[in-house]
Amino acid sequence: MQLKGAPILELEKLQKIFGVTKALSGASLKIYPGEVIGLVGPNGAGKSTLMKIITGVLEPTDGRILVNGREVSKITQIETAELGIACAYQDLSLCTNLAVYENFALLTTDHKFWGKFGWRAKEKNQAKALLEKYFPDNGIDVNLPVSSLTLAQRQMVEICKNLIGEKIGILVLDEPTSALSINRANQLHKAVQEISNSGTAVIYISHKLEEIQKVSNRIVLLKNGANAGEFDPEVFTPTDLIQIMGGEVQIRASTLITGVPVTQNEVVSITDYSYGELRNINLTVGQGEIVGLSGLVGSGQTTLLKRIFASKSRRRSNIKVNGRISYVSGDRAREGVFSMWSIRDNITISSLRELTKYGLVNGIKTKEIGQKWFERLSFRAESIDSPITSLSGGNQQKALIARGLASGADLLLLNDPTAGVDVETKQEIYSLLQEAKQLGKAIILHSTEDAEMEICDRVYVMRDGEVVQEFKGDDVSVQNIVRAAFTEVDRTASRERIDHSIFSRIMNSRLTLPLSAMILIYGLNVAANSNVFSMMSIGLLLGTAVPLVFAALGQMFVITAGDIDMGNGYSIALANVLVAVVLSKSVFVGVVSLVILILAYVAMGALIHLRRLPAIVVTLGAQFIWLGVALLISPEPGGESPEWLNTIYNANITFIPMVAIFCLAAGIATWFIIYRWRYGIVLRGIGNSQDAVERAGWSYLVGKSINYAFAGLMVVFAGMAFTAVTSAADVNTSASFCMMSIATVIVGGCEMSGGVVEPFGVVAAGIAMSLIASLLIFIQVDSNYQIAVTGIIIISVLAGRRFTRGKMGLAA
């Protein structure tokens, strides 16, 4: 290809140093409009580091960057917008708790904060259109959360969401087909051609050299952080590139298999097994045998591997496994490495049974095993005690396979173990599998690369959750596997699942359990005391529930950000004191003091992020500040509830108690903030993936601070409601709100991991929790036992939630 015009981006002799590691040592790259650059190199060559500099994530240690001929020290958001840089990351910059279309909406630039009327429908249509344009018949429902998608579908979403916008000058695709089937990869290659023809420069990074040759206009090779040459894809073949990279000309891994005899001893036996998407699975694996699971991506291979792994914990099953099991995932970021641990600990974690005596880990043996594999696999790191994250992606994958082999397991389950690794590393992984086979291990290998199936003794091809064909020996070939993968499956039984879809959706809803608990506990109250059925009695009962409802909603906003507030009992106490002592005397001073409390919450959230402190530690420490300030203002119980507050709190609108309106309004308002306000996408996203939010151009700090601001506001409302209930200020009486609010948000359908919350469920759970106390009084349970009985009820409700969602998972 003849390159015309001036480059839009020039990188000259870039260096990037991390401590003693030199990730880049003089790498250069010129990017011209409308070209496709195939960027290749072994793991650890510096490709990812170079892309992070291009996208503005990193600043180079040395070198020159020229944007349209203008020199800059770092690519900032200004340059990113000017060049129209977009990147589909290998590790996927998606918030899995958000709906598919919401992940697209994170990247749209118009009316980001508020959104015009109808913006949600517009985003859904745009997401559908892009997915259908580049990946026809993808089967992705843009209304579903990303967590419900297969890895291949997530990769499609990651690619397409970066194609939003009118001006995309540079598109970076980092291992874009690592989880895609052949037909999906071909769709992507067609899209790359179309995008480049429109004038967009595409940087295509892949270890699949056949793809690089197919889509690229020129190939740039990196080795050891520096340029190792540029090549014409019409001249250089994948074999040539492998030789230049220093690897062996050995693409077909089947040459590694040397005819090791397979025994008749079955390690795995599966008979007529059905589960969720899996139907009528029959499969066997013997000692010293490598069995492949192939077929179109998303046909149930991963589910089958996970069910085999889970079979050891079930006494009765159609899956029989003789011996110990080890599972290795190709999705190392989510299911593989312990990112905070060392290389040694990541390798030996599955070997603790052999390394532990009397409950203590033998450090000497641990070091010996770790060192053995460290030397065996030639990791590029200072020592076995180096962080696992100091290794390249391919070397991290080798560490995971070493973990499985070191564990002494009889069965190795490998879920796409070579995804995103270079040819040389693949050969090392194949050698490890060969060694395991010679030792008599049974291996089940799932791979998204059909050619990789040729290392297997037998291959089961799956389609739509069923095994459609089995190949043995010489019949194991790419041609046979691809042909079988497209075999249609009769799915007449699928109607049964459709008939139950509405029931399943209701039972699986996060709102079902708290609503049911509220109705049930209220019914028990009515049964114990029929007077509770009157509207006046409902008002009295809800009057005591409102403080807990607001306390739990405040906790919900903190949990939305991925944190937990262990001090809101005393922050509510401080709000109670400020209302009863300060606000009752001076409205202006009282309002200012309550605003300061809200700002203190904002500062607390910012401190947690900026200093990278554990939220549980900061909020525990903050509770002593809240307590100390409250005691300074009111060392003894006292003060009074403002008359206007009592009037509002105890009022009725027609026949409806105001406290009931408070509960409903609180649920509607917080639901709107979280799920209807456009910025609510960011508020939820930060609790799931900081990288995804920041890569989309949002400030994580601002998002977390706003979550904490809403939490502080709910604390103020809780303090006001509590003052109206108690008619005075007492620092110690609100301490129980901390644990009760945590229990309430859990019962209310929230996930403590962050980003997944249910405001109406929290309101219903808060009312239910409050009704438990009145129920125990009506049935005359001794006050000494009330807390214990309350705990038992809460645990029973949570067990019901676990049971319900677990059962629904069987049909999912």
Side-chain angles (χ1 to χ4, degrees):
M1 174 184 178
Q2 183 66 37
L3 300 175
K4 297 181 180 180
I8 55 176
L9 180 62
E10 297 178 76
L11 311 174
E12 295 183 359
K13 298 181 179 179
L14 295 187
Q15 294 191 31
K16 184 60 183 178
I17 300 174
F18 300 98
V20 297
T21 303
K22 184 175 284 189
L24 293 178
S25 54
S28 298
L29 183 65
K30 290 183 179 181
I31 303 172
Y32 294 84
E35 68 166 335
V36 180
I37 302 173
L39 188 62
V40 299
N43 287 314
K47 302 185 297 296
S48 295
T49 303
L50 188 62
M51 291 309 102
K52 288 180 179 178
I53 291 176
I54 290 177
T55 54
V57 176
L58 294 177
E59 181 176 357
T61 306
D62 196 10
R64 297 179 70 212
I65 300 176
L66 287 88
V67 175
N68 289 319
R70 184 183 77 257
E71 185 169 350
V72 298
S73 60
K74 177 189 176 182
I75 295 179
T76 65
Q77 288 189 356
I78 296 175
E79 286 75 35
T80 300
E82 177 185 343
L83 294 173
I85 298 174
C87 180
Y89 292 90
Q90 181 184 1
D91 56 354
L92 304 184
S93 55
L94 299 172
C95 293
T96 57
N97 63 320
L98 299 181
V100 172
Y101 80 88
E102 289 177 321
N103 275 275
F104 280 78
L106 277 176
L107 283 168
T108 52
T109 57
D110 59 323
H111 308 286
K112 275 189 166 186
F113 200 79
W114 294 104
K116 288 184 177 180
F117 180 78
W119 69 268
R120 196 175 298 274
K122 177 183 175 183
E123 295 292 349
K124 291 179 181 179
N125 291 334
Q126 186 174 28
K128 288 179 184 176
L130 281 170
L131 285 166
E132 190 61 28
K133 177 180 179 180
Y134 294 113
F135 296 102
D137 302 319
N138 53 75
I140 297 174
D141 184 347
V142 298
N143 296 292
L144 293 178
V146 171
S147 59
S148 67
L149 305 182
T150 65
L151 184 57
Q153 289 175 324
R154 294 184 192 193
Q155 196 157 41
M156 293 182 224
V157 172
E158 171 74 8
I159 292 167
C160 288
K161 79 181 181 72
N162 284 282
L163 299 175
I164 288 178
E166 297 178 358
K167 181 189 175 185
I168 302 177
I170 300 174
L171 175 64
V172 179
L173 299 175
D174 190 359
E175 295 292 346
T177 63
S178 59
L180 299 184
S181 58
I182 291 176
N183 62 320
R184 295 298 182 195
N186 289 335
Q187 289 175 341
L188 175 62
H189 298 157
K190 181 180 178 182
V192 168
Q193 185 64 49
E194 180 181 336
I195 293 166
S196 64
N197 288 340
S198 68
T200 298
V202 180
I203 302 176
Y204 195 102
I205 305 171
S206 179
H207 291 302
K208 300 178 181 179
L209 300 182
E210 293 83 359
E211 286 187 2
I212 291 290
Q213 185 183 31
K214 180 178 180 180
V215 303
S216 303
N217 301 125
R218 62 185 172 112
I219 301 172
V220 176
L221 173 63
L222 289 184
K223 286 181 65 176
N224 300 318
N227 293 68
E230 289 194 10
F231 310 97
D232 185 344
E234 295 183 0
V235 176
F236 275 78
T237 66
T239 302
D240 296 329
L241 288 172
I242 293 171
Q243 288 179 319
I244 293 171
M245 284 190 284
E248 297 180 10
V249 184
Q250 187 175 330
I251 298 175
R252 285 192 56 172
S254 57
T255 56
L256 290 170
I257 304 302
T258 57
V260 178
V262 178
T263 70
Q264 298 302 312
N265 297 327
E266 288 188 350
V267 178
V268 180
S269 176
I270 303 177
T271 307
D272 297 329
Y273 181 73
S274 297
Y275 173 92
E277 65 187 297
L278 302 177
R279 300 185 63 81
N280 303 320
I281 302 294
N282 290 275
L283 177 150
T284 60
V285 185
Q287 282 185 316
E289 185 177 26
I290 302 178
V291 172
L293 289 180
S294 189
L296 298 179
V297 174
S299 294
Q301 301 95 328
T302 296
T303 302
L304 180 56
L305 287 176
K306 291 185 176 181
R307 297 316 303 163
I308 295 173
F309 183 70
S311 65
K312 292 298 290 183
S313 62
R314 302 180 183 276
R315 294 183 180 180
R316 296 181 180 179
S317 174
N318 291 20
I319 302 177
K320 305 296 182 184
V321 178
N322 300 315
R324 294 173 56 193
I325 311 174
S326 180
Y327 178 87
V328 177
S329 173
D331 191 359
R332 51 186 171 270
R334 290 197 313 140
E335 301 179 332
V337 301
F338 295 92
S339 58
M340 302 296 290
W341 291 9
S342 66
I343 298 171
R344 172 175 62 177
D345 291 339
N346 268 277
I347 291 176
T348 60
I349 180 62
S350 295
S351 307
L352 290 181
R353 181 181 298 179
E354 292 76 20
L355 299 175
T356 304
K357 190 173 184 179
Y358 306 120
L360 299 176
V361 177
N362 189 321
I364 296 176
K365 287 186 177 180
T366 300
K367 188 173 182 178
E368 288 176 353
I369 292 178
Q371 190 65 40
K372 168 190 171 183
W373 287 103
F374 185 83
E375 294 173 357
R376 164 69 180 80
L377 298 177
S378 303
F379 289 123
R380 295 178 182 176
E382 292 183 5
S383 70
I384 57 173
D385 294 315
S386 298
I388 188 72
T389 51
S390 66
L391 298 178
S392 66
N395 280 295
Q396 289 180 25
Q397 201 64 38
K398 287 195 294 183
L400 295 183
I401 294 176
R403 177 196 297 172
L405 295 174
S407 70
D410 303 289
L411 172 64
L412 297 180
L413 304 176
L414 306 178
N415 188 6
D416 213 7
T418 64
V421 302
D422 60 35
V423 176
E424 185 177 354
T425 304
K426 283 183 181 181
Q427 298 299 326
E428 292 183 67
I429 291 175
Y430 299 151
S431 296
L432 289 175
L433 300 186
Q434 172 68 2
E435 289 181 17
K437 176 177 176 176
Q438 291 174 336
L439 291 172
K441 307 294 184 184
I443 300 169
I444 302 180
L445 170 66
H446 164 53
S447 175
T448 54
E449 294 188 43
D450 294 326
E452 211 156 65
M453 289 293 99
E454 294 182 347
I455 74 171
C456 301
D457 300 290
R458 292 186 293 119
V459 173
Y460 291 94
V461 182
M462 297 184 67
R463 173 73 184 262
D464 293 337
E466 295 187 30
V467 173
V468 294
Q469 199 157 356
E470 177 187 358
F471 295 108
K472 301 178 182 179
D474 293 337
D475 291 332
V476 176
S477 67
V478 172
Q479 292 80 5
N480 287 341
I481 291 170
V482 171
R483 185 172 59 251
F486 285 90
T487 301
E488 292 295 333
V489 177
D490 181 14
R491 300 305 300 271
T492 54
S494 63
R495 294 178 183 175
E496 182 179 351
R497 286 199 286 171
I498 296 173
D499 293 339
H500 291 81
S501 61
I502 296 176
F503 174 75
S504 175
R505 209 176 300 173
I506 293 173
M507 291 301 295
N508 217 19
S509 170
R510 295 180 180 277
L511 194 55
T512 300
L513 184 64
L515 278 177
S516 301
M518 182 184 71
I519 294 170
L520 175 62
I521 296 173
Y522 176 70
L524 293 175
N525 272 271
V526 172
N529 187 339
S530 59
N531 293 327
V532 172
F533 202 65
S534 69
M535 190 58 65
M536 184 171 65
S537 296
I538 291 175
L540 291 173
L541 291 176
L542 289 181
T544 59
V546 172
L548 178 58
V549 167
F550 280 118
L553 288 172
Q555 187 72 255
M556 181 194 74
F557 276 108
V558 175
I559 288 174
T560 301
D563 298 335
I564 187 170
D565 186 359
M566 297 299 296
N568 68 339
Y570 285 115
S571 62
I572 293 172
L574 175 56
N576 172 216
V577 168
L578 292 175
V579 172
V581 177
V582 182
L583 186 66
S584 62
K585 295 179 180 179
S586 171
V587 173
F588 176 76
V589 176
V591 169
V592 170
S593 63
L594 291 172
V595 170
I596 292 174
L597 176 57
I598 295 173
L599 293 176
Y601 256 78
V602 173
M604 184 168 62
L607 177 66
I608 289 169
H609 172 60
L610 294 175
R611 305 301 299 175
R612 301 189 181 278
L613 299 172
I616 191 171
V617 174
V618 174
T619 55
L620 276 172
Q623 74 171 336
F624 295 107
I625 298 176
W626 314 137
L627 176 61
V629 175
L631 289 173
L632 284 174
I633 298 173
S634 179
E636 296 180 355
E640 61 181 358
S641 176
E643 185 176 344
W644 58 266
L645 179 60
N646 291 333
T647 301
I648 295 174
Y649 201 78
N650 297 313
N652 292 323
I653 295 182
T654 61
F655 61 91
I656 303 175
M658 182 62 76
V659 287
I661 296 175
F662 284 158
C663 291
L664 181 61
I668 293 174
T670 52
W671 173 81
F672 181 86
I673 291 169
I674 292 293
Y675 287 107
R676 304 308 293 177
W677 184 29
R678 184 169 187 132
Y679 194 74
I681 297 174
V682 179
L683 297 183
R684 284 179 285 131
I686 64 170
N688 181 266
S689 174
Q690 178 178 344
D691 286 343
V693 170
E694 291 184 332
R695 287 171 179 175
W698 296 94
S699 169
Y700 181 85
L701 174 61
V702 172
K704 182 180 279 282
S705 297
I706 291 177
N707 265 318
Y708 271 79
F710 281 121
L713 180 63
M714 294 300 112
V715 163
V716 167
F717 287 155
M720 294 178 71
F722 192 63
T723 305
V725 172
T726 60
S727 299
D730 188 348
V731 171
N732 296 311
T733 55
S734 61
S736 62
F737 279 124
C738 178
M739 290 296 108
M740 287 294 290
S741 66
I742 294 173
T744 299
V745 295
I746 295 174
V747 174
C750 303
E751 295 292 340
M752 300 301 289
S753 56
V756 179
V757 293
E758 178 51 69
F760 285 116
V762 171
V763 172
I767 295 172
M769 293 287 192
S770 183
L771 290 175
I772 290 175
S774 61
L775 174 63
L776 296 178
I777 293 173
F778 291 149
I779 62 178
Q780 299 180 346
V781 174
D782 191 291
S783 60
N784 294 322
Y785 299 114
Q786 284 186 14
I787 295 177
V789 173
T790 300
I792 292 172
I793 294 174
I794 292 172
I795 292 173
S796 300
V797 172
L798 291 176
R801 171 185 167 186
R802 176 68 177 173
F803 175 80
T804 301
R805 294 184 70 81
K807 286 295 184 184
M808 287 301 101
L810 293 177

